[in-house]
Amino acid sequence: MILLGSTGSIGTNALKVATAFGLPIESLSAGKNIALFNEQIRRHRPKKICILDSEDLPKLDMPFIKAHDIEVFCTESGLLEMIESSQSTLAINALVGYAGLAPSLKIKQCGKKLALANKESLVSAGWLFAGYPITPIDSEHFGLWYLHTSRKIHKLYITASGGALRDMPLADLPSATPAQALKHPNWSMGQKITIDSATMVNKLFEVLEAYWLFGLSSIDAFIEEHSAIHALVEFVDGSITAHISHADMQLPIAYALDEQQAKCVRLIPRFDIATLTSLRFSPIDVRRYPVWELKPTLLAYPKLGIVLNASNEVALRAFLDSHICFGDISACILQSMRHFESVKTHTLTHLQDIKRLDSEVRAFSASWLGLS
Ligand code: NDP
Ligand code: MG
């Protein structure tokens, strides 16, 4: 298989599952963590590898790479070449952010199976994947897929943990620090999605992800603090089913890699049914999560996902670099969504259109935050 983003949280879990299932790795890609990447190369012996920056090439374990005749690619264009030249029919996109979009489109263009953790691909350009089968690697969407039957669906529900700042007094929220926002209560994940959980941007992303994956706009979310229930499906007949499991991404990854094996083994701890007695559900409060007010607009005009994603990426980076406060992330997103309201009527049929708009939104957001 091809695994993009092997050094990340999803990437390392995907390698564990691949090892447990005995699946060979043809191609691997990493960003900047070359020390871990060298270990992965030695352990999994891929035929092709790609890193983000050519300046990091000297850090690669070249004696091993040469001895095993491993082909080396570099930069975003190299990543696309690696995908195209790989024989594997399964590709896992575990890259983070907008950088994952072009690789997802390349995987689609090559007709390979797309196992998608990179939800930003769908948020920014879901319509470019219309009709193409995608296997989601996201606990809520895996849950929805698991619950899907031929019965007519009335509504989809996904849950949110509430993120690291769920219990912080409202008055302290605007000035929360990166260290506080990075302490997720239930999941161990990459930095970006952990901050996206604290702002509730992640749940807006997941609403759009569900919209593009399942073709329904009747979607809602609520807070379930234990991350035990991941998704619910309400059927037209009045029944509701829920997907419950231990909070561990190896389960959705296992199904994406090899459904037949995933059905027959236990990779994650057994769920303690007694936990269900302590579950609480609460609505998502827009005073704590101001971006949540955007949900109906995004479902009515899903192409606004480009604006949401680009403004979020600019603000989130600035927050992690301590240039802005936590509260500025949501303020920047809301301001950008107002400024780019006309996108509602744009057609945006090509990747070039999306790239242009993405750059415009980034420039606007950076300027509004006083970064440029
Ligand atoms: P991480 O930040 O842990 O990992 C991201 C991976 O992408 C790393 O291998 C990183 O390389 C690489 N990378 C980052 N930027 C670039 C770039 N510009 N070009 C090429 N490679 C790059 O993220 P996660 O694993 O947490 O998340 C990955 C995706 O999965 C996200 O879209 C996230 O929303 C989604 N997801 C994650 C979940 C989780 O539990 N973590 C759950 C559900 C969805 P390096 O580290 O070497 O720099
Ligand atoms: Mg999720």
Side-chain angles (χ1 to χ4, degrees), residues 4-13 29-34 36-37 40 51-52 75-76 79 93-100 116-121 137-140 187-194 196 202 205-206 209 249:
L4 310 182
S6 65
T7 46
S9 161
I10 294 289
T12 48
N13 272 309
S29 95
K32 300 292 287 178
N33 189 348
I34 308 299
L36 175 58
F37 199 42
Q40 294 180 338
I51 57 169
L52 179 59
T75 73
E76 187 184 328
L79 189 62
N93 185 348
L95 298 169
V96 64
Y98 179 77
L116 188 65
N118 181 259
K119 59 187 87 180
E120 293 89 346
S121 292
I137 299 184
D138 204 341
S139 53
E140 299 78 3
W187 297 93
S188 163
M189 309 184 285
Q191 281 198 333
K192 178 175 182 285
I193 187 174
T194 306
D196 287 345
N202 184 49
F205 281 2
E206 292 185 351
E209 195 183 357
M249 288 307 294

Side-chain angles (χ1 to χ4, degrees), residues 116 122 132-136 138 141-142 148 208-216:
L116 188 65
L122 286 175
Y132 197 77
I134 292 177
T135 308
D138 204 341
H141 306 77
F142 167 70
H148 232 83
L208 284 173
E209 195 183 357
Y211 172 85
W212 292 116
L213 286 170
F214 299 101
L216 281 171

